[in-house]
Amino acid sequence: MKNIPDLTKIVGSYHFGSDSISALEATIAPKRDRNSKACIFFIDHFFQGNKLIDSLPIMQEDSVFYIDSSNEPTTEQIDLYVTKINEICINIPCCIIGIGGGTTMDIAKAVSILLGNGGKAEKYQGWNLVNNPGVFKIGIPTLSGTGAESSRTCVLVNKDKNIKLGINSPFTVFDHLILDPKLSATVPKQQFFYTAMDTYIHCIESLNGKYRHDLADIFSKNALRLLREVMHSNKLNELENRKKLLIASYLGGSAIGNSYVGVVHPFSAGLSTVLGTHHCEANCITMGKMSEFYPDETDEFLTIVKKHKIKIPEKLCVDMEYDLLSKLYEACIIHEKPLENALGNNYKNILSKEKIINIYMGM
Ligand code: NAD
Ligand code: ZN
């Protein structure tokens, strides 16, 4: 039987540029029809009371949920939002809008899917388990790097099963994006760096994997070029850099939608699952310890860290009990596809339990 690759889907349409947020009203208007007029806004809590909120086209029939992004989204949280929305709205809402970083955008994507498919969020964690399109969804990133705005996944922590896994499906992709570089002006430097480097890691993992192909490479190489321009400049947060990063993030998410991540993400997922470390921070902790797998990229990463005087947490696992180290091992090795992408079918021979634990103990 022929090996058919996963169906790739890209974002339906977008507005790009400074002040493009003003296009939101005209984008939503045709969706408010006779069947349903209600829109649901998920907005990162940073913007509560911010003047951005006054400029949004929020109507009386709409609902706004502020997202506390200090914790990464969980399946339980998604189920609660869906229950609440079903209580508030007589009909299925006409549009879901996610305004924030990866956390808020992933929540918007997951809720849209559940409203269109029914059931609980955990039912759809995995690959291609979604049967119907969700509610029309609009992504508006305010922090760049995860590529959540363009990827075909939304990542959820499932506390009962002790896993962090995406709803990977063509229906997960946003229908529309508003990419406005003005919205990321307020991101603190450390956060800006961590999240931006997620793009770097997505692209170098894709380019070094066996599932790389010409189309994914074009996304990755262009994202890396833009990201390097930003990271090798002196002032990370100026408008021109934020604009470049917005595009790099979009391309990085598209690269991953066309290929797979590699060794960094499984190690990083271990830190997130066992210690609760946020995705992009966990990636940076891991990236500095990847010289065996990505020697040139690890050197480049460490040079950029030094240039911008970023403090990466250290000595997280050095005195850790063996039981916890074993949990880290389990949470890492479970990511078969990325590890196989990076190291081949015999990745378990390269990454023994002892080796994985040693790498964690260096973090
Ligand atoms: P985030 O959304 O968790 O936000 C991080 C912090 O930045 C929060 O404190 C938030 O309040 C703040 N913030 C956001 N925008 C701001 C702004 N304009 N000004 C000031 N502060 C702002 O961060 P993230 O790194 O973008 O997202 C991480 C999440 O993305 C994780 O849950 C991860 O699993 C997920 N992720 C998803 C994908 C995907 O393809 N779906 C890919 C990678 C990561
Ligand atoms: Zn990532």
Side-chain angles (χ1 to χ4, degrees):
M1 207 173 90
K2 291 231 168 90
N3 191 10
I4 304 172
D6 276 352
L7 176 73
T8 303
K9 184 174 177 290
I10 52 172
V11 171
S13 54
Y14 59 83
H15 287 95
F16 172 71
S18 290
D19 297 317
S20 52
I21 185 81
S22 57
L24 183 59
E25 185 162 12
T27 309
I28 296 176
K31 302 288 161 204
R32 297 189 193 268
D33 60 16
R34 262 187 307 139
N35 296 326
S36 176
K37 288 189 175 11
C39 294
I40 309 291
F41 289 79
F42 291 102
I43 306 175
D44 186 282
H45 63 166
F46 171 83
F47 293 100
Q48 198 158 8
N50 184 290
K51 65 179 187 313
L52 170 78
I53 303 301
D54 302 331
S55 72
L56 295 175
I58 300 172
M59 315 264 277
Q60 209 179 355
E61 54 272 36
D62 298 342
S63 305
V64 178
F65 296 98
Y66 287 102
I67 302 300
D68 178 356
S69 46
S70 4
N71 297 310
E72 301 200 321
T74 65
T75 46
E76 200 185 6
Q77 187 185 7
I78 300 301
D79 295 336
L80 281 173
Y81 282 131
V82 172
T83 306
K84 215 171 226 172
I85 292 166
N86 282 331
E87 279 167 15
I88 301 169
C89 300
I90 301 162
N91 297 317
I92 290 186
C94 65
C95 190
I96 305 280
I97 301 115
I99 307 177
T103 298
T104 307
M105 287 191 282
D106 276 1
I107 289 175
K109 288 161 100 173
V111 169
S112 151
I113 286 172
L114 284 212
L115 288 171
N117 287 271
K120 301 261 185 205
E122 70 171 19
K123 182 173 160 193
Y124 303 104
Q125 283 184 296
W127 276 265
N128 303 320
L129 302 171
V130 181
N131 294 319
N132 303 306
V135 172
F136 188 87
K137 48 189 170 300
I138 302 177
I140 308 181
T142 64
L143 171 60
S144 301
T146 64
E149 64 276 21
S150 53
S151 72
R152 65 195 288 288
T153 188
C154 53
V155 188
L156 304 175
V157 176
N158 185 325
K159 288 191 176 158
D160 290 341
K161 293 189 178 164
N162 196 31
I163 51 165
K164 190 178 168 188
L165 187 61
I167 300 179
N168 297 274
S169 121
F171 296 124
T172 311
V173 179
F174 276 115
D175 297 290
H176 187 87
L177 291 181
I178 292 184
L179 302 171
D180 185 340
K182 282 198 173 171
L183 300 179
S184 55
T186 42
V187 177
K189 183 176 170 189
Q190 185 97 355
Q191 185 68 55
F192 184 99
F193 179 89
Y194 283 156
T195 303
M197 290 316 275
D198 199 20
T199 294
Y200 180 81
I201 296 167
H202 290 158
C203 295
I204 63 113
E205 287 183 299
S206 173
L207 287 170
N208 284 291
K210 74 170 189 182
Y211 291 108
R212 70 181 284 185
H213 59 76
D214 296 346
L215 182 58
D217 283 6
I218 287 173
F219 287 129
S220 299
K221 285 179 181 170
N222 282 291
L224 276 180
R225 177 177 59 76
L226 289 165
L227 187 84
R228 285 185 172 124
E229 285 174 20
V230 174
M231 288 299 164
H232 292 292
S233 76
N234 290 328
K235 204 157 174 273
L236 288 179
N237 197 28
E238 57 192 20
L239 181 64
E240 201 48 36
N241 278 339
R242 297 202 311 272
K243 207 187 278 178
K244 285 179 184 171
L245 198 55
L246 204 50
I247 305 170
S249 176
Y250 175 86
L251 294 175
S254 307
I256 285 306
N258 274 275
S259 60
Y260 290 93
V261 286
V263 185
V264 186
H265 275 75
F267 273 90
S268 162
L271 294 175
S272 297
T273 311
V274 177
L275 303 179
T277 315
H278 276 214
H279 177 74
C280 301
E281 183 178 352
N283 272 354
C284 287
I285 294 169
T286 305
M287 189 65 223
K289 308 293 173 190
M290 288 285 115
S291 51
E292 178 178 342
F293 309 105
Y294 306 108
D296 295 344
E297 294 83 353
T298 304
D299 282 352
E300 182 177 27
F301 171 78
L302 292 172
T303 307
I304 300 171
V305 167
K306 201 167 165 196
K307 176 179 171 70
H308 294 291
K309 301 187 174 66
I310 302 296
K311 265 208 89 46
I312 308 282
E314 285 179 344
K315 300 196 171 113
L316 289 179
C317 310
V318 73
D319 294 322
M320 201 176 257
E321 305 260 326
Y322 190 76
D323 273 5
L324 215 49
L325 287 165
S326 290
K327 282 195 175 149
L328 283 169
Y329 162 75
E330 300 293 345
C332 171
I333 202 74
I334 201 171
H335 294 270
E336 292 174 5
K337 203 82 183 177
L339 293 172
E340 189 205 317
N341 179 42
L343 304 173
N345 294 347
N346 295 327
Y347 67 88
K348 283 190 180 156
N349 295 344
I350 301 171
L351 279 180
S352 63
K353 182 169 182 180
E354 193 188 357
K355 177 143 189 175
I356 290 185
I357 286 182
N358 271 334
I359 294 173
Y360 273 122
M361 285 176 77
M363 293 181 188

